[in-house]
PDB file of all heavy atoms in Angstrom:
ATOM      1  N   VAL A 272     -89.579 -72.185 -79.380  1.00 94.00           N
ATOM      2  CA  VAL A 272     -89.017 -72.725 -78.146  1.00 94.00           C
ATOM      3  C   VAL A 272     -90.075 -73.581 -77.454  1.00 94.00           C
ATOM      4  O   VAL A 272     -91.280 -73.319 -77.584  1.00 94.00           O
ATOM      5  CB  VAL A 272     -88.508 -71.605 -77.207  1.00 94.00           C
ATOM      6  CG1 VAL A 272     -87.370 -70.836 -77.858  1.00 94.00           C
ATOM      7  CG2 VAL A 272     -89.633 -70.665 -76.812  1.00 94.00           C
ATOM      8  N   PRO A 273     -89.645 -74.615 -76.717  1.00 91.00           N
ATOM      9  CA  PRO A 273     -90.613 -75.487 -76.048  1.00 91.00           C
ATOM     10  C   PRO A 273     -91.595 -74.741 -75.142  1.00 91.00           C
ATOM     11  O   PRO A 273     -92.770 -75.118 -75.052  1.00 91.00           O
ATOM     12  CB  PRO A 273     -89.722 -76.436 -75.240  1.00 91.00           C
ATOM     13  CG  PRO A 273     -88.459 -76.509 -76.041  1.00 91.00           C
ATOM     14  CD  PRO A 273     -88.280 -75.116 -76.585  1.00 91.00           C
ATOM     15  N   ARG A 274     -91.165 -73.687 -74.501  1.00 94.00           N
ATOM     16  CA  ARG A 274     -92.055 -72.923 -73.613  1.00 94.00           C
ATOM     17  C   ARG A 274     -93.260 -72.373 -74.381  1.00 94.00           C
ATOM     18  O   ARG A 274     -94.379 -72.318 -73.857  1.00 94.00           O
ATOM     19  CB  ARG A 274     -91.267 -71.787 -72.939  1.00 94.00           C
ATOM     20  CG  ARG A 274     -92.107 -70.907 -72.060  1.00 94.00           C
ATOM     21  CD  ARG A 274     -92.540 -71.670 -70.792  1.00 94.00           C
ATOM     22  NE  ARG A 274     -93.496 -70.875 -70.050  1.00 94.00           N
ATOM     23  CZ  ARG A 274     -94.709 -71.291 -69.718  1.00 94.00           C
ATOM     24  NH1 ARG A 274     -95.112 -72.498 -70.020  1.00 94.00           N
ATOM     25  NH2 ARG A 274     -95.523 -70.515 -69.052  1.00 94.00           N
ATOM     26  N   ALA A 275     -93.045 -71.967 -75.624  1.00 94.00           N
ATOM     27  CA  ALA A 275     -94.150 -71.451 -76.435  1.00 94.00           C
ATOM     28  C   ALA A 275     -95.187 -72.548 -76.688  1.00 94.00           C
ATOM     29  O   ALA A 275     -96.392 -72.294 -76.661  1.00 94.00           O
ATOM     30  CB  ALA A 275     -93.625 -70.895 -77.756  1.00 94.00           C
ATOM     31  N   VAL A 276     -94.729 -73.773 -76.908  1.00 95.00           N
ATOM     32  CA  VAL A 276     -95.637 -74.892 -77.130  1.00 95.00           C
ATOM     33  C   VAL A 276     -96.416 -75.188 -75.854  1.00 95.00           C
ATOM     34  O   VAL A 276     -97.621 -75.455 -75.899  1.00 95.00           O
ATOM     35  CB  VAL A 276     -94.873 -76.142 -77.627  1.00 95.00           C
ATOM     36  CG1 VAL A 276     -95.774 -77.365 -77.658  1.00 95.00           C
ATOM     37  CG2 VAL A 276     -94.289 -75.888 -79.003  1.00 95.00           C
ATOM     38  N   THR A 277     -95.731 -75.122 -74.719  1.00 95.00           N
ATOM     39  CA  THR A 277     -96.401 -75.372 -73.438  1.00 95.00           C
ATOM     40  C   THR A 277     -97.568 -74.414 -73.249  1.00 95.00           C
ATOM     41  O   THR A 277     -98.675 -74.820 -72.877  1.00 95.00           O
ATOM     42  CB  THR A 277     -95.405 -75.241 -72.265  1.00 95.00           C
ATOM     43  OG1 THR A 277     -94.366 -76.190 -72.451  1.00 95.00           O
ATOM     44  CG2 THR A 277     -96.081 -75.464 -70.931  1.00 95.00           C
ATOM     45  N   THR A 278     -97.346 -73.141 -73.535  1.00 95.00           N
ATOM     46  CA  THR A 278     -98.400 -72.134 -73.390  1.00 95.00           C
ATOM     47  C   THR A 278     -99.569 -72.427 -74.332  1.00 95.00           C
ATOM     48  O   THR A 278    -100.737 -72.349 -73.930  1.00 95.00           O
ATOM     49  CB  THR A 278     -97.829 -70.732 -73.667  1.00 95.00           C
ATOM     50  OG1 THR A 278     -96.774 -70.480 -72.754  1.00 95.00           O
ATOM     51  CG2 THR A 278     -98.887 -69.659 -73.535  1.00 95.00           C
ATOM     52  N   LEU A 279     -99.265 -72.778 -75.581  1.00 96.00           N
ATOM     53  CA  LEU A 279    -100.321 -73.091 -76.543  1.00 96.00           C
ATOM     54  C   LEU A 279    -101.103 -74.338 -76.122  1.00 96.00           C
ATOM     55  O   LEU A 279    -102.337 -74.353 -76.181  1.00 96.00           O
ATOM     56  CB  LEU A 279     -99.724 -73.295 -77.937  1.00 96.00           C
ATOM     57  CG  LEU A 279     -99.132 -72.062 -78.611  1.00 96.00           C
ATOM     58  CD1 LEU A 279     -98.395 -72.443 -79.878  1.00 96.00           C
ATOM     59  CD2 LEU A 279    -100.210 -71.031 -78.890  1.00 96.00           C
ATOM     60  N   VAL A 280    -100.377 -75.371 -75.693  1.00 97.00           N
ATOM     61  CA  VAL A 280    -101.036 -76.608 -75.270  1.00 97.00           C
ATOM     62  C   VAL A 280    -101.892 -76.351 -74.037  1.00 97.00           C
ATOM     63  O   VAL A 280    -103.012 -76.859 -73.934  1.00 97.00           O
ATOM     64  CB  VAL A 280    -100.003 -77.732 -75.030  1.00 97.00           C
ATOM     65  CG1 VAL A 280    -100.635 -78.913 -74.312  1.00 97.00           C
ATOM     66  CG2 VAL A 280     -99.403 -78.181 -76.358  1.00 97.00           C
ATOM     67  N   ASP A 281    -101.396 -75.547 -73.109  1.00 97.00           N
ATOM     68  CA  ASP A 281    -102.190 -75.217 -71.910  1.00 97.00           C
ATOM     69  C   ASP A 281    -103.545 -74.636 -72.309  1.00 97.00           C
ATOM     70  O   ASP A 281    -104.589 -75.050 -71.800  1.00 97.00           O
ATOM     71  CB  ASP A 281    -101.447 -74.222 -71.015  1.00 97.00           C
ATOM     72  CG  ASP A 281    -100.286 -74.839 -70.262  1.00 97.00           C
ATOM     73  OD1 ASP A 281    -100.167 -76.086 -70.227  1.00 97.00           O
ATOM     74  OD2 ASP A 281     -99.474 -74.049 -69.708  1.00 97.00           O
TER      75      ASP A 281
END
Side-chain angles (χ1 to χ4, degrees):
V272 297
R274 177 70 188 123
V276 171
T277 300
T278 301
L279 292 171
V280 168
D281 286 348

